[in-house]
Amino acid sequence: MIAIGLEGSANKLGVGIILHPKHDGPAHVLANVRHTFISPPGEGFLPKDTAKHHRTWVVRLVRQALLEAKITIDEVDCICYTKGPGMGAPLQSVAVSARMLSLLWDKELVGVNHCVGHIEMGREITGAQNPVVLYVSGGNTQVIAYASHRYRIFGEAIDIAVGNCLDRFARTLNISNDPAPGYNIEQMAKGGKHLLDLPYTVKGMDCSFSGILACIDTLAARLGQEKTGWKDNDTGEAITQEDLCFSLQESIFAMLVEITERAMAHVGSTQVLIVGGVGCNERLQEMMGIMAGERGGNVHATDERFCIDNGIMIAHAGLLAYRTGSSTSLKDSMCTQRYRTDEVLVRWRD
């Protein structure tokens, strides 16, 4: 069976085409194309501008994906799209595009939970069987484990997502959004040497990132105001923007490692699967790997093709649901900004 997936919950528009063999076996990625709306340095992406970008690019990306996949429309079984969560206007643009293709080609629709798409694609690519999942992106921060046909949320951010924290600090420093603000902070952090004291807010299984963002913004302002330079008290060396990026990463990733380890202990798992755009961060993978290794476990993660929002994950999760009898009627093919991971009935897993 073959499915086309459309993803556009934030500033990335992705179209993917996936093949599930008739007899059990690994899925085949036939096409996975993406285009990103990049805003100027110091600015975020507005919903209306992002939606316009998606409407402008969706037809050409679908055509490109079909050419790369070398398939005909007749071979496609269903059209999958991101139902939510995400930004309202971009989600609407993708939902309308999916409806158009469904009517034009007479194919069934499948609405997909964005978070479940990340999880299922991560499991497929890495081979992780039943891991504790750390889902970290610009809009979501969740620690998840599977039980009784649901992806259960053990802990989450209680204010802003970890990716949103990084993106907003990139705007504070006027860092480029190309290719992504979080990636550019990661590169700057590699040059940091001084670990500054920042708030560390873990409340049970939940995290808070708004306080640490307010603090690091204050330190960035201090860095710009001190004419003689801000010196480290122990070494006398100058504090730099790289030190701020390094300190922010180390602190927030330590919080994520802590709550993930607690979830592993609770469910008795030795596997961690990191998904979502922030999951591409090599330092996060390294810190999680140290923790998992000390517990006799291991970490699974993917590269930017599958970590960052993409259409293939929507195609894969949608086809899993479609094969077990799920589809979305035209009158129900809406989208929603709030669609929790644990709302989805996962029929395709035991």
Side-chain angles (χ1 to χ4, degrees):
M1 301 182 80
I2 295 177
I4 295 180
L6 278 66
E7 154 59 23
S9 59
N11 68 325
K12 295 170 180 64
L13 175 67
V15 178
I17 302 178
I18 201 161
L19 166 68
H20 286 187
K22 288 183 179 179
H23 306 292
D24 287 340
H28 301 294
V29 176
L30 304 181
N32 186 24
V33 297
R34 179 171 55 212
H35 195 272
T36 303
F37 171 66
I38 298 175
S39 53
E43 298 181 16
F45 47 90
L46 297 175
K48 64 181 180 66
D49 297 332
T50 310
K52 182 179 179 181
H53 166 269
H54 291 1
R55 293 193 298 270
T56 301
W57 280 89
V58 65
V59 172
R60 68 185 82 179
L61 287 188
V62 170
R63 286 176 173 167
Q64 181 183 343
L66 287 169
L67 286 173
E68 288 187 12
K70 298 178 181 178
I71 61 169
T72 64
I73 294 168
D74 291 338
E75 295 176 89
V76 176
D77 292 283
C78 59
I79 309 295
C80 310
Y81 74 98
T82 303
K83 179 180 177 181
M87 301 171 66
L91 282 172
Q92 288 177 350
S93 296
V94 170
V96 168
S97 301
R99 291 188 205 115
M100 173 196 70
L101 295 178
S102 173
L103 292 170
L104 185 65
W105 296 341
D106 192 26
K107 305 292 182 182
E108 289 198 75
L109 279 170
V110 182
V112 176
N113 180 286
H114 178 86
C115 314
V116 172
H118 272 298
I119 295 169
E120 292 300 347
M121 200 68 226
R123 290 180 62 238
E124 178 68 25
I125 295 299
T126 65
Q129 295 302 308
N130 192 28
V132 167
V133 179
L134 176 64
Y135 171 37
V136 278
S137 68
N140 297 276
T141 302
Q142 297 176 347
V143 176
I144 302 162
Y146 174 80
S148 302
H149 299 285
R150 301 273 180 181
Y151 282 114
R152 313 287 177 174
I153 300 172
F154 279 69
E156 58 192 320
I158 58 178
D159 40 34
I160 61 174
V162 61
N164 186 244
C165 176
L166 292 168
D167 291 350
R168 287 165 65 174
F169 185 57
R171 295 204 291 272
T172 297
L173 296 183
N174 207 37
I175 296 173
S176 172
N177 292 317
D178 188 12
Y183 172 81
N184 292 332
I185 281 186
E186 178 185 1
Q187 303 315 307
M188 290 183 66
K190 293 176 181 177
K193 297 184 295 183
H194 304 104
L195 182 63
L196 306 175
D197 287 334
L198 294 173
Y200 184 96
T201 312
V202 174
K203 300 184 177 182
M205 285 296 295
D206 298 329
C207 293
S208 171
F209 299 107
S210 57
I212 194 171
L213 175 62
C215 181
I216 198 77
D217 280 347
T218 302
L219 295 182
R222 175 184 172 184
L223 187 63
Q225 291 170 356
E226 297 210 6
K227 296 179 181 179
T228 58
W230 177 12
K231 307 290 186 181
D232 179 72
N233 292 331
D234 296 326
T235 65
E237 296 177 337
I239 300 297
T240 64
Q241 288 189 346
E242 286 76 9
D243 293 324
L244 297 183
C245 294
F246 169 70
S247 300
L248 179 61
Q249 276 200 169
E250 293 297 301
S251 299
I252 61 178
F253 291 167
M255 294 158 62
L256 296 174
V257 169
E258 177 184 335
I259 62 174
T260 303
E261 182 175 18
R262 196 174 293 125
M264 291 176 70
H266 182 80
V267 303
S269 176
T270 59
Q271 292 182 326
V272 179
L273 173 63
I274 308 176
V275 299
V278 182
C280 294
N281 190 294
E282 293 178 353
R283 178 55 180 158
L284 174 59
Q285 293 179 15
E286 179 185 15
M287 292 174 67
M288 197 66 70
I290 292 170
M291 178 275 290
E294 291 175 349
R295 299 182 60 85
N298 50 54
V299 171
H300 299 270
T302 63
D303 59 29
E304 69 279 356
R305 293 173 299 167
F306 305 108
C307 252
I308 297 172
D309 290 351
N310 59 85
I312 200 68
M313 71 182 194
I314 302 302
H316 179 58
L319 193 51
L320 287 173
Y322 184 73
R323 290 171 58 183
T324 53
S326 296
S327 63
T328 305
S329 64
L330 190 65
K331 68 180 179 65
D332 294 326
S333 59
M334 50 77 170
C335 55
T336 174
Q337 290 179 267
R338 291 174 174 81
Y339 187 15
R340 287 181 63 81
T341 313
D342 51 10
E343 290 182 39
V344 180
L345 180 61
V346 184
R347 294 188 176 95
W348 55 89
R349 289 192 63 178
D350 296 331

